[in-house]
Amino acid sequence: MTYVMESRADIIINCAAYTNVDGCESHQDEAYLTNAVGARNLAAASESIGAKLLHISTDYVFEGNQPEAHREYDLPNPISVYGKTKLAGEEYVRQCCSRWYIVRTAWLYGHEGKNFVKTMMRLGREKGMVTVVNDQRGNPTNAEDLAYHILKIAAGEEYGIYHCTGKGECSWYDFACKIMEYARINAKIIPCTSDEYPSPTKRPANSSLDHMMLRLTVGDQMRDWKQALKYFIDNHKE
């Protein structure tokens, strides 16, 4: 944190995280070190230089057993190591920094790095058939939309917790079907249940997020998830 403390930054955005959900289950110490202790250190350093801190968090802080979308005031109850360590990071930010924003997002995809959209397109072309769970619901989010809102939030003084995802919700199966449709890939998508798709991590059944804080403050210009996905695929160069 020496670099942060020696800087003259007015705003610090923490995008660092251990995001391998299954990996967190088998590497709990590393996950806690990055997602919780790292956030604590950055929050303390931000406070020491009088900087605002915007911390990126996740839908996985919720258990996901309610039928409606989660609002910012709903009580978190994570069911995975990833969610628990990210919630711990949120709590450290709130304790150690007086000027903070926490931005929770979900099902994120963009032009850089690995993500569900790229994986589905690759598997669809290579195998022609993909099996995808159909009993987990959430909000696909274009990274460009998230970045735009992060800058809007950080530029103001409306501190607190924000939910920032694509508008509308779907299952992973619905998401995969739209990816193939927009990418014009002739692949068969087979729905399955979470029980049929073995994983070391229990995932929320419904992790959809409501954008109440955006609506009440800087404005909610997040696109519908289908519109944002089509734009991404139409403009993505592999």
Side-chain angles (χ1 to χ4, degrees), residues 176-226:
C177 289
K178 282 299 178 184
I179 292 168
M180 301 305 177
E181 176 185 339
Y182 294 153
R184 298 180 177 85
I185 298 173
N186 186 21
K188 183 177 182 180
I189 311 299
I190 302 173
C192 71
T193 66
S194 298
D195 291 340
E196 294 174 309
Y197 194 92
S199 168
T201 310
K202 187 176 181 181
R203 288 167 164 79
N206 178 23
S207 64
S208 298
L209 302 179
D210 181 80
H211 303 172
M212 180 178 67
M213 188 66 163
L214 280 180
R215 294 194 299 271
L216 298 178
T217 57
V218 300
D220 182 4
Q221 295 174 274
M222 295 296 294
R223 288 176 290 181
D224 177 85
W225 73 267
K226 294 185 289 295

Side-chain angles (χ1 to χ4, degrees), residues 11 13 52 54 101 149-157 159 218:
I11 302 169
I13 299 174
K52 299 188 287 188
L54 190 147
Y101 321 86
H149 283 74
I150 284 174
L151 294 177
K152 281 207 306 179
I153 293 166
E157 306 292 330
Y159 303 110
V218 300

Side-chain angles (χ1 to χ4, degrees), residues 31-32 35-37 39-40 55-63 72 74-95 102 104 161:
Y32 190 81
N35 295 339
V37 177
R40 181 203 65 186
H55 176 70
I56 310 299
S57 193
T58 176
D59 56 327
Y60 273 54
V61 299
F62 294 111
E63 183 177 4
E72 289 85 347
D74 287 338
L75 293 177
N77 185 29
I79 55 176
S80 66
V81 172
Y82 172 62
K84 291 174 183 177
T85 57
K86 289 296 290 181
L87 179 59
E90 287 189 11
E91 292 170 347
Y92 277 133
V93 166
R94 297 168 70 174
Q95 293 167 8
I102 292 169
R104 295 172 179 152
I161 299 173

